[in-house]
Amino acid sequence: MARLTHTVTVAPLDRGWFEEAAGTLVDLLDGSRTRADGSVLLADGRAVAGLRLLKGRHLRSGARYGETPEPVTPGADGRVPAGSGTVGAADGPSRSGTAGAGAAGGSSGPGASGRVPAPGPSATVGAVVLRAWRPAHSVEVESRVAEDGLALRLKVRLSEPRRPRALDLSLSGHRPAGGSLYRFSGRGAADLAAWWAAVDRLPSALPAARPPVTARAAHRLAKARLTVTPHPADDGSWRISVVLSVRGRWLLRPVGAVALFFARRPVERGFREAVENAAAQWNTALAELTPRHGEALRAEIADALTETEQGKTIPGGPTDAGGPADPWGPADIGGPEAR
């Protein structure tokens, strides 16, 4: 088994600002509505960038969302080219609208036969399914992505979204045409209440007995465990200890032990660089955040939700008729359970 550890120092995040920002984001989404074309509108009438309702009722269990396809320019014969995005009609707003044929059908336009062609082997198909929307209790979403023959399913559950207390996620992936070597799974949990308790300790106090952030991954050939533990420094910053443990399985265990013996230094160096890079990105992100509150913070978050990225090619979601079969199947499909 290989055990890698590294500790970095990062700028602290103000808990009050974090919880206010989370509550503001939830309130903005909770007050949104949809148009007949599936566009999601904030209360001020602006559309959330790159998001539309594909199926179901807005903010109801089972609602399916995807990214907005690019506008389509009809050809000389007035037809929409096959494989192009579709544009739905923009009728009056409604809180619980159901996307029409264009919204539910993904981003591909009908061909000469009236059916939507399936994407090629390198196409990206993505959708987000809302499993639960209870802002006072929990929010659960499931993200599905299929690209280059690999199907990924990510489930996220946030407890008490307006003042987040815990974040749980699970990830599974497989290649439908492959065997067990193309299957993997993972689980992660962040106890935010325990995190704040850990950083509120005195710098001279012992670190938390249990790491607030843990993650486990499993594959047929290996298992891994990651822990993240914060501790306050004397200058008010946070010292973050990251520990990664990797254990080979089956015949890979002796082979991995020999390989690690010769490659331990490069592996440790790569691990340290990855942790240092993550810390640098954290510090950069915090430095760019404007410490606004109240209406100023609400306006900033609303602007971020509705800001469009020029020149971005956005894939559409899977279709209900004439499109590809659901690569994820009716039930969860993943690798060995990460325990």
Side-chain angles (χ1 to χ4, degrees):
M1 180 180 74
R3 188 174 187 272
L4 308 175
T5 65
H6 191 54
T7 300
V8 292
T9 301
V10 300
L13 174 64
D14 181 71
R15 180 178 183 177
W17 184 92
F18 170 74
E19 292 182 346
E20 182 183 2
T24 300
L25 174 61
V26 171
D27 290 341
L28 284 171
L29 295 177
D30 194 50
S32 64
R33 62 190 188 278
T34 59
R35 295 192 300 189
D37 65 346
S39 300
V40 179
L41 306 179
L42 298 182
D44 61 8
R46 289 185 294 171
V48 177
L51 184 67
R52 68 169 179 167
L53 179 66
L54 301 178
K55 188 176 182 180
R57 301 182 64 192
H58 182 47
L59 295 183
R60 297 293 186 269
S61 179
R64 188 171 183 172
Y65 299 87
E67 293 181 320
T68 307
E70 292 182 325
V72 176
T73 302
D77 57 356
R79 292 185 176 181
V80 176
S84 301
T86 58
V87 179
D91 294 339
S94 63
R95 162 70 185 218
S96 301
T98 301
S107 64
S108 296
S113 64
R115 294 177 62 83
V116 180
S122 62
T124 300
V125 177
V128 175
V129 180
L130 183 64
R131 295 304 182 191
W133 180 263
R134 296 171 291 177
H137 182 263
S138 65
V139 172
E140 300 178 39
V141 297
E142 178 181 326
S143 176
R144 302 176 176 184
V145 176
E147 183 174 9
D148 295 329
L150 181 64
L152 300 175
R153 184 196 300 263
L154 174 65
K155 295 181 179 181
V156 180
R157 183 180 188 273
L158 182 62
S159 301
E160 300 185 26
R162 288 194 170 94
R163 298 187 62 184
R165 291 187 56 83
L167 176 68
D168 297 281
L169 59 87
S170 64
L171 173 68
S172 62
H174 74 289
R175 190 181 297 275
S180 60
L181 290 179
Y182 294 94
R183 296 175 181 268
F184 60 89
S185 63
R187 294 183 180 277
D191 187 339
L192 300 180
W195 180 282
W196 297 121
V199 297
D200 284 342
R201 294 167 176 255
L202 293 175
S204 58
L206 294 175
R210 294 184 178 180
V213 178
T214 60
R216 298 175 183 270
H219 183 267
R220 182 180 178 182
L221 301 180
K223 297 178 69 174
R225 182 174 186 265
L226 178 73
T227 64
V228 181
T229 306
H231 191 73
D234 293 330
D235 60 357
S237 59
W238 293 348
R239 290 182 57 78
I240 309 296
S241 297
V242 184
V243 180
L244 174 64
S245 302
V246 181
R247 181 188 297 273
R249 305 177 69 183
W250 303 93
L251 296 178
L252 186 64
R253 183 174 297 180
V255 176
V258 174
L260 184 62
F261 177 80
F262 292 100
R264 187 173 186 88
R265 288 187 177 181
V267 170
E268 290 179 340
R269 183 171 59 251
F271 174 73
R272 290 195 303 269
E273 291 176 353
V275 176
E276 294 283 355
N277 183 58
Q281 293 181 1
W282 169 276
N283 291 332
T284 300
L286 283 189
E288 294 176 351
L289 289 176
T290 303
R292 297 181 180 177
H293 297 274
E295 289 302 321
L297 178 60
R298 183 183 182 89
E300 186 173 356
I301 295 177
D303 290 342
L305 288 174
T306 56
E307 182 181 9
T308 58
E309 184 177 346
Q310 298 296 331
K312 179 180 179 182
T313 302
I314 304 175
T319 62
D320 291 335
D326 189 344
W328 302 276
D332 292 345
I333 302 176
E337 184 178 359
R339 295 181 179 175

